[in-house]
Amino acid sequence: IPGRREGARSLTLDNPVIAASGTFGSGREYGEYLDLNQLGGIAVKGLTPEPREGNPLPRIVETPMGMLNSIGLQNPGLEGFIKEEMPFLRTYETAVIANISGNTVAEFTAMATRLESVPGIHGLEVNVSCPNIHRGGEVFATNPEMVQTITEEVVKVTTLPVIVKLSPNVTDIGLIAQSAEAGGADAVSLINTVLGMAIDIKTRQPVLKRVMGGLSGPAVKPIALRQVWQVYQAVKIPIIGMGGIMTAEDALEFLMAGAAAVSVGTGNFVNPTACIDVAEGINAYMEKHGLHRVSELTGAAHKQ
Ligand code: DOR
């Protein structure tokens, strides 16, 4: 991901597979299952200025095709993350992408400003799309002007590559991606989770305490793939594609739809080495077909 503005840093990944935000914590929990150096990147759990306990339980539901969550951004707060998690993450070569989940424009810019001087951060994922924080019903990512404003304000205060994370819960995701691009984003990542719910027929009540949550996993893959396809046609900046990627074959579809790199989220819960398996499978496909760069696959399905 090349930095678009004057003086901006670029983001280079050793392989195109990133552990999606919210699924690896800050990496420590997964360190015993795999060598974090083998990941292309790790997007850490969404950070807020202050520590948060998140929403009341139950806040996770498994369904046959995916998972619902209404976590509500449980995290140690920005300073807690910098102090407790960064010394560990800095011992690895893997690109660390800090997901910042502000509640106001000022919170986004304050976090971006603080992270500018933290060694070992390689990029910012600006999470305008968390479905579980109630802001009078509005998610920033549904409002093109808000997305552009937040992006403009964040790029002003950072030299880090800025990746804006988009919500699938919109009518025209291409339009929202264009707002991020117009605001100066270096890349977009998509999708965040799809709003859904589950009901317990024994109690006749919603399972999640907060009723609705974000659906992820195989259930959302066709939606995510369609939206990556639409965004590829709408903007020129790179796309990080995600949504139900469980296997290398899934990831290849996202690359062909237009993604420059992919993230694996829910897949990590089913298979702790999913990221590595996906990266190896992409590699095997490329070798088999005589390809040398992932970019040869990006958007391939748009070309006849
Ligand atoms: O599904 C999600 N859950 N997406 C987010 O961006 C945040 C997360 C949470 O903590 O609720």
Side-chain angles (χ1 to χ4, degrees):
I1 297 172
R4 285 171 73 204
R5 38 196 203 288
E6 182 81 36
R9 293 177 253 178
S10 58
L11 176 62
T12 308
L13 306 177
D14 288 341
N15 73 61
V17 185
I18 300 166
S21 177
T23 60
F24 259 43
S26 294
R28 221 184 276 275
E29 295 94 328
Y30 274 74
E32 61 182 275
Y33 298 108
L34 52 89
D35 178 4
L36 297 175
N37 279 325
Q38 288 178 275
L39 299 172
I42 168 166
V44 303
K45 172 66 187 164
L47 297 164
T48 55
E50 299 300 324
R52 284 179 60 91
E53 288 189 357
N55 288 330
L57 309 180
R59 57 188 190 187
I60 297 251
V61 191
E62 284 183 56
T63 80
M65 289 297 287
M67 193 184 103
L68 285 159
N69 89 83
S70 60
I71 301 291
L73 294 170
Q74 177 192 28
N75 80 99
L78 185 62
E79 291 308 321
F81 165 76
I82 293 169
K83 198 158 155 267
E84 308 296 332
E85 306 296 342
M86 276 315 292
F88 167 80
L89 283 169
R90 268 196 288 272
T91 63
Y92 293 91
E93 313 267 304
T94 299
V96 176
I97 299 168
N99 178 297
I100 53 174
S101 299
N103 210 21
T104 60
V105 179
E107 283 191 4
F108 277 109
T109 55
M111 288 192 280
T113 304
R114 175 70 178 95
L115 286 164
E116 177 68 6
S117 58
V118 177
I121 305 281
H122 297 73
L124 295 181
E125 184 169 55
V126 178
N127 187 8
V128 290
S129 48
C130 174
N132 296 323
I133 300 297
H134 290 218
R135 199 182 289 105
E138 191 186 52
V139 173
F140 289 132
T142 59
N143 179 331
E145 288 82 32
M146 275 313 295
V147 169
Q148 182 163 343
T149 302
I150 293 168
T151 310
E152 280 169 357
E153 296 304 316
V154 169
V155 299
K156 272 185 207 162
V157 299
T158 185
T159 60
L160 289 164
V162 171
I163 304 157
V164 176
K165 185 156 186 182
L166 305 181
S167 169
N169 306 307
V170 295
T171 320
D172 184 352
I173 196 160
L175 183 76
I176 308 289
Q178 284 168 348
S179 301
E181 184 176 50
D186 299 296
V188 285
S189 56
L190 61 137
I191 58 172
N192 206 318
T193 49
V194 177
L195 269 183
M197 72 177 291
I199 293 174
D200 180 343
I201 59 168
K202 288 192 209 83
T203 61
R204 302 181 186 174
Q205 290 299 303
V207 181
L208 293 170
K209 189 83 175 175
R210 289 293 287 265
V211 181
M212 291 180 214
L215 179 64
S216 59
V220 308
K221 196 190 103 180
I223 299 170
L225 196 63
R226 180 266 295 176
Q227 292 188 316
V228 167
W229 173 282
Q230 288 180 317
V231 170
Y232 184 77
Q233 297 200 328
V235 299
K236 294 200 167 60
I237 51 178
I239 300 166
I240 299 173
M242 72 196 85
I245 296 178
M246 311 297 277
T247 64
E249 288 73 22
D250 294 331
L252 287 163
E253 284 191 71
F254 276 81
L255 297 174
M256 292 171 191
V262 295
S263 294
V264 175
T266 305
N268 296 311
F269 298 134
V270 181
N271 167 19
T273 62
C275 287
I276 313 290
D277 299 348
V278 168
E280 284 174 356
I282 294 172
N283 210 21
Y285 180 92
M286 289 177 60
E287 274 180 20
K288 186 171 164 207
H289 293 88
L291 303 173
H292 303 287
R293 302 180 67 88
V294 175
S295 58
E296 294 174 71
L297 286 169
T298 298
H302 294 261
K303 299 163 195 141
Q304 301 219 319

